[in-house]
Amino acid sequence: GAGVSQSPSNKVTEKGKDVELRCDPISGHTALYWYRQSLGQGLEFLIYFQGNSAPDKSGLPSDRFSAERTGGSVSTLTIQRTQQEDSAVYLCASSLEATSYNEQFFGPGTRLTVL
Amino acid sequence: EDQVTQSPEALRLQEGESSSLNCSYTVSGLRGLFWYRQDPGKGPEFLFTLYSAGEEKEKERLKATLTKKESFLHITAPKPEDSATYLCAVQARRNTGFQKLVFGTGTRLLVSP
């Protein structure tokens, strides 16, 4: 596609439920990134993929968060047993590759609200 | 630890009133400094990358400059459509591998007609 797409655009869930957020990167981009943006906070890096591999998962806030990427394209961020503090906008970005001077292009985000 | 501080948090300008936004950073070896624009309800939109002190880049009414400690985003004769949050991020230089972007909290710019 022309840009990074994310779905759903909005998600409201109840505390304790699991949610899946989807990201479809720009075609040809091998690197994919997930960020979280909370009100009044800067973008917080969560995880990145180079191809289907996620070499560094240390940015994930807890073991309730996981992410996968298949076929070097679409990625899913899963949050299990959601908590109210997980409410935020989850942004996905992609770039040509992760370790060079390549700009990251962002999707519109998924606004997650945990009641 | 890499850090980015942006000021002011919010800025209100009249159309045509030029100003500058500041991004102060601490990083052990700068690989790149990035400016993004973010409109409400949208993801950040890439504006500029600066790599070394003294570098400048321009796009329409925006000009970004870089020193060893800070970057400025100068807005000349702004228009209402320049209203947005402007984000600054740094990427550190390490020997190998991926380095994440560290973002500031942004400056919210409102330009009134």
Side-chain angles (χ1 to χ4, degrees):
Chain A
V4 178
S5 60
Q6 293 186 245
S7 61
S9 54
N10 281 284
K11 177 71 176 178
V12 179
T13 191
E14 293 180 348
K15 178 181 173 181
K17 301 279 189 181
D18 298 351
V19 296
E20 285 189 354
L21 312 180
R22 176 188 166 109
C23 173
D24 200 341
I26 293 172
S27 178
H29 281 190
T30 63
L32 185 147
Y33 315 81
W34 284 100
Y35 292 85
R36 180 169 71 175
Q37 187 173 34
S38 303
L39 195 62
Q41 304 292 318
L43 272 73
E44 175 189 5
F45 171 78
L46 299 179
I47 190 170
Y48 87 99
F49 290 87
Q50 179 61 51
N52 291 333
S53 173
D56 183 358
K57 300 180 181 180
S58 62
L60 295 176
S62 76
D63 58 8
R64 296 185 294 103
F65 287 72
S66 63
E68 65 175 15
R69 188 180 186 195
T70 56
S73 182
V74 172
S75 175
T76 302
L77 177 69
T78 301
I79 309 173
Q80 297 178 308
R81 305 181 302 281
T82 51
Q83 304 294 312
Q84 289 183 334
E85 60 263 29
D86 299 334
S87 296
V89 176
Y90 289 83
L91 290 160
C92 173
S94 70
S95 69
L96 285 173
E97 58 180 66
T99 55
S100 298
Y101 295 100
N102 293 306
E103 295 85 13
Q104 296 182 20
F105 295 90
F106 284 81
T110 293
R111 180 175 297 278
L112 175 66
T113 304
V114 182
L115 301 176
Chain B
E1 184 180 343
D2 304 332
Q3 286 190 324
V4 177
T5 303
Q6 292 188 246
S7 61
E9 288 187 10
L11 180 62
R12 190 164 191 156
L13 300 173
Q14 290 293 121
E15 184 171 3
E17 180 186 2
S18 302
S19 189
S20 297
L21 313 182
N22 178 263
C23 171
S24 297
Y25 64 90
T26 303
V27 63
S28 55
L30 180 69
R31 187 181 206 185
L33 185 141
F34 303 80
W35 281 99
Y36 285 84
R37 168 191 170 128
Q38 186 173 25
D39 293 297
K42 297 189 177 181
E45 174 189 347
F46 170 76
L47 293 174
F48 304 109
T49 309
L50 301 168
Y51 296 108
S52 58
E55 188 175 2
E56 298 184 353
K57 288 193 176 173
E58 289 188 63
K59 179 180 180 179
E60 296 181 355
R61 294 176 294 282
L62 301 177
K63 182 169 82 171
T65 62
L66 180 65
T67 73
K68 289 186 177 180
K69 295 183 178 181
E70 57 193 349
S71 177
F72 291 94
L73 185 65
H74 306 278
I75 304 177
T76 303
K79 298 182 178 182
E81 53 262 41
D82 295 323
S83 298
T85 296
Y86 291 85
L87 301 172
C88 173
V90 296
Q91 186 177 39
R93 181 188 303 280
R94 301 281 190 268
N95 289 332
T96 59
F98 165 78
Q99 295 303 321
K100 67 180 183 180
L101 293 183
V102 176
F103 281 84
T105 52
T107 293
R108 285 180 286 110
L109 174 65
L110 177 62
V111 182
S112 302

